[in-house]
Amino acid sequence: MRTVQIVGIGHTMFGNLSEYDLVDIMSFASLNALEDAGILDKRDLVEQVIVGNMGAGMLSHQSGIASSLVSRIKMEPAMAELVENGPASGASAVKMGYAVIAGGLADVVLVTGGELMRDVTGWEATDFVASLLHPEAEYRYGLSLPAFGGMFTRMYMERYGLTEKELAMVAVKDHENGNKNPFAHVKLSCTMEAINEGPHASVVNPFIAEPLRLYGMCPVSDGAASLILCAADSSKMKYFKKEPVTIAGIGSATDTHCVHNRKDPLILDAVRISAERSYKMAGLKPDDISFAELHDAFIILELAISEEVGFFKRGKAREAVVKGITNINGSLPINPSGGLKSKGHPLGATGVSQIFELVKQLRGEAEKGRQVKNPKTGMAVNFGGFGNNVVTTICTKE
Amino acid sequence: MGKEELEKKLRPPLLELKDYPAKYITVASGDKMVVRQCTHKDVSVLLGAIIPLIGATKDFYDIVAARMYAEILGWYRYRVANEYVLAGTIDGEIVGIVNGRLVDKDIGMSYHTLAVRRGLRIGAHLFAAKMEYHLEYLKQSEVWIVAESPIGFRRWMIEYSLENRGDKFPKVYHELGGVPTYALTKKLYDKVKDQKVTGTRPVDSKLLSTADTLKLPEEYVQIPGFRRSKK
Amino acid sequence: MFDPDIYKLYEEKEEQVFAFRCPSCKKVHYPAPMICDKCNTRRDPSNVYFSEWEKIPLQGECTLLSWTKVYALPEGYEVPYLLFGIVEFQNKIRASGRLSIERPETGMKLNARVDVVKKRGDKEIHGLIFS
């Protein structure tokens, strides 16, 4: 299989961009990536565009957005397709871009993930995301992703003794990083006193889906992110100025649609298997990973995913948090971007944004105070559904 | 009739309002937001803080700002009966303003909630403080509430489970636009109080003194690129 | 093959939620897949031509595995919060649904019934309620 490398990255602000059109914000990220790659004036080098998005049809009443993007950024007659895989649409789009290059259909691919969710109310956005649940056995009850986040958190707390305080520590850590990320949606540092320990904490940080509180879940965001991929053996490689980052491993896996059908609902098979597939492809193991971007749509998921991919034993991620291992200066920083918690979660953009962050860190271009020290290998886990379709990507410097 | 006598006729009769005792809330960022009652000497800064938002068309800031500006002016010029204004400040800077008035001893009329700084639930805390004032300190039996934005509607009507008084319309209506009203009764308030109302009293004199002289907001996220010009 | 019982489809029935038993290997599924993962027997959801997959009403005693009280609800639910839970029935079948008790505790015994869980216009949507 051909080696695929990332040669350009682009990002928009995450937050409320509802005055813009979805394809406009995707265009913005795409042009940023083309500019970063040094081929803004040689866009015809890109043979294929892959878009990751979940809600254009439902939220923006738009279809055919991959073709629309190509035309908006004047790249006709490039090939273009849309990939939809729920909240993991972004990483799935990267995976499809990888496959197009590895399979020899193209040498250079632009992958753009984007979502516009704040054009509708929060209740409509929650309903839209909930539409990925099982229609008969889950969605009809008013169940939503936060509801499953809450039930998962409760099971985890009851089995492993995780405390609200430890959960709050993860949020404080993520916000500390996110506050330094210029693209982050919720750019503020929060304190343990304010969200957990102080006398006002239960009102300042109210329950959203018990036992999960406001600072246990990501905001609803708009935004887009882009990558330019190129085959390492391509003659076109000479056009790119920056040191390429290699996609060493990329794998995904699925699990039961209904959460209740999992033998042990605390075991996230799709996370573990997707990670195993990407480790195998990369020829690496958990110890080789320098830092990771994990899909903390609910703060509990940062802990559960970090265990499932083999960084920590089951139930032990909380100890790593308390010891500061996952802090930016710890031995295994997690979510140096601020994670979904602080950076935000525009569904289709998230998976691409996570890999954008891997590249930024591996290049040593992250902002002061959130640059991981001399990283060699980064991992991104993009979690679709409530864990029923997960994509894991490993990037390396070489 | 002389000017002064005429002025007397223009002023409404006023009820004596018990003061709202200042409190502070440690918001998520760790900042301490002081919530205190405003007096006429705060008016120029209050109006100065509001005026830029009259041009912010997103999220209904324009209508809330324009109406609140007029209401505060009405209070200052003695053209509204029994009005009060509470401000939230962080390091003296205005981060939010709420106002309302008493219709009579028992019924409160909630006016507006304006969150200047966003992302810290300032609006939610100040709205709760306003309800606390009406129902706990002024000992009223209920507060009439309407919303001008969808977010306000869901926030107040659903989270507080307000009583819909729409069936009594048009006899019973809210002063803001003469629309059918909702009401927060003391009973409903007591049910959600623990989840909605917080704060510490008394505020120590050092912290309280930061709010003595209100300061204009330096930035408005609602107005991209806004920077108060440095003198 | 014509099913002589087809007219029964038009009967006014009490609303129920069903698990399905595979006719070959007897494995019980909820919700019903289109093929049994144990023995690969197919199912026809129209239930007209093949009615062999036995419908088993989900109701009665169950155990609460986890629960949550959600304040940020999707569009269409104009209430401050709803309670949800995942339960396990005595036949080991699990299901998600609504809780109608105020103070749930993991591991407690509950009773499952079917009632209206959502109204869309005039249409009432039924589902499992645990109490």
Side-chain angles (χ1 to χ4, degrees), chain A residues 94-372:
Chain A
V94 176
K95 189 182 152 206
M96 291 304 126
Y98 188 105
V100 167
I101 294 174
L105 278 178
D107 279 6
V108 183
V109 173
L110 164 69
V111 180
T112 297
E115 205 77 50
L116 198 65
M117 305 177 72
R118 298 198 57 120
D119 205 20
V120 297
T121 65
W123 301 276
E124 289 168 309
T126 303
D127 178 65
F128 150 66
V129 184
S131 69
L132 61 78
L133 297 173
H134 195 287
E136 175 199 333
E138 295 175 336
Y139 175 78
R140 71 154 66 182
Y141 293 98
L143 279 157
S144 56
L145 276 295
F148 283 105
M151 289 194 280
F152 188 92
T153 306
R154 184 180 305 283
M155 282 190 267
Y156 191 107
M157 285 175 142
E158 288 175 350
R159 189 176 306 174
Y160 299 116
L162 173 77
T163 62
E164 278 209 44
K165 184 175 174 175
E166 289 158 342
L167 274 179
M169 288 173 81
V170 181
V172 168
K173 185 254 312 166
D174 284 355
H175 275 278
E176 198 59 45
N177 294 339
N179 195 23
K180 301 181 183 101
N181 184 345
F183 300 121
H185 181 174
V186 186
K187 220 160 39 175
L188 65 90
S189 292
C190 52
T191 66
M192 284 302 287
E193 192 215 345
I195 68 166
N196 177 258
E197 293 162 349
H200 312 143
S202 69
V203 175
V204 166
N205 185 17
F207 281 127
I208 302 292
E210 286 183 27
L212 273 180
R213 293 177 177 275
L214 183 67
Y215 277 81
M217 42 221 327
C218 66
V220 175
S221 322
D222 304 325
S226 293
L227 305 173
I228 313 276
L229 312 183
C230 183
D233 61 12
S234 168
S235 60
K236 291 177 176 173
M237 210 64 194
K238 63 174 180 286
Y239 293 102
F240 305 111
K241 302 286 171 282
K242 290 200 174 167
E243 198 62 41
V245 162
T246 303
I247 300 179
I250 188 160
S252 64
T254 49
D255 199 350
T256 64
H257 195 181
C258 289
V259 172
H260 70 244
N261 281 338
R262 297 176 195 164
K263 207 166 150 195
D264 179 348
L266 277 184
I267 293 183
L268 299 166
D269 274 337
V271 173
R272 194 184 63 257
I273 295 165
S274 74
E276 282 167 3
R277 286 173 178 163
S278 68
Y279 282 133
K280 191 177 166 206
M281 181 172 161
L284 296 170
K285 38 186 203 318
D287 281 354
D288 299 317
I289 305 295
S290 325
F291 71 101
E293 282 287 309
L294 306 181
H295 192 113
D296 56 336
F298 310 109
I299 219 79
I300 186 73
L301 290 179
E302 178 172 322
L303 303 178
I305 294 172
S306 70
E307 293 168 3
E308 210 66 74
V309 301
F311 295 160
F312 310 110
K313 288 206 171 68
R314 271 185 209 290
K316 299 288 181 195
R318 49 194 283 249
E319 291 173 15
V321 171
V322 173
K323 287 181 192 151
I325 289 171
T326 57
N327 289 349
I328 194 72
N329 297 316
S331 57
L332 180 57
I334 293 182
N335 288 329
S337 71
L340 283 60
K341 175 71 205 78
S342 166
K343 187 180 61 179
H345 183 25
L347 306 178
T350 288
V352 183
S353 168
Q354 289 179 314
I355 299 170
F356 168 100
E357 176 69 13
L358 299 190
V359 174
K360 209 162 154 135
Q361 290 286 351
L362 291 168
R363 283 178 178 176
E365 288 178 356
E367 288 72 22
K368 199 167 167 269
R370 60 171 212 94
Q371 172 66 50
V372 177

Side-chain angles (χ1 to χ4, degrees), chain C residues 33-99:
Chain C
M34 292 297 286
I35 185 166
C36 177
D37 61 346
K38 202 172 159 200
C39 70
N40 301 315
T41 299
R42 289 180 57 178
R43 181 177 72 88
D44 173 3
S46 71
N47 219 11
V48 172
Y49 302 102
F50 307 105
S51 53
E52 298 99 325
W53 282 58
E54 185 194 345
K55 286 160 110 180
I56 302 168
L58 280 178
Q59 58 192 34
E61 195 179 305
C62 50
T63 307
L64 186 61
L65 299 184
S66 189
W67 63 274
T68 183
K69 186 173 180 181
V70 181
Y71 297 84
L73 293 164
E75 187 59 38
Y77 300 89
E78 304 220 332
V79 288
Y81 62 83
L82 286 173
L83 287 141
F84 300 97
I86 298 178
V87 301
E88 185 170 283
F89 288 93
Q90 284 165 317
N91 59 3
K92 298 289 165 202
I93 291 297
R94 290 188 194 155
S96 305
R98 284 260 272 279
L99 283 175

Side-chain angles (χ1 to χ4, degrees), chain A residues 16-19 121 123 186 188-191 193-195 199-206 214-215, chain B residues 24-30 32 58-59 119-121 125 150-151 154 194-200:
Chain A
N16 189 337
L17 305 175
S18 57
E19 69 255 51
T121 65
W123 301 276
V186 186
L188 65 90
S189 292
C190 52
T191 66
E193 192 215 345
I195 68 166
H200 312 143
S202 69
V203 175
V204 166
N205 185 17
L214 183 67
Y215 277 81
Chain B
Y24 77 88
I25 302 168
T26 306
V27 294
S29 58
K32 290 185 166 44
K58 212 165 146 183
D59 293 340
L120 293 172
R121 309 191 72 244
H125 294 315
I151 178 103
R154 298 296 284 255
D194 287 351
Q195 297 161 38
K196 302 289 181 199
V197 187
T198 188
T200 298

Side-chain angles (χ1 to χ4, degrees), chain A residues 46-69:
Chain A
V46 178
E47 301 146 275
Q48 163 88 55
V49 174
I50 304 223
V51 167
N53 169 270
M54 175 176 167
M58 286 176 79
L59 297 176
S60 313
H61 202 72
Q62 288 185 32
S63 54
I65 55 168
S67 344
S68 171
L69 173 64

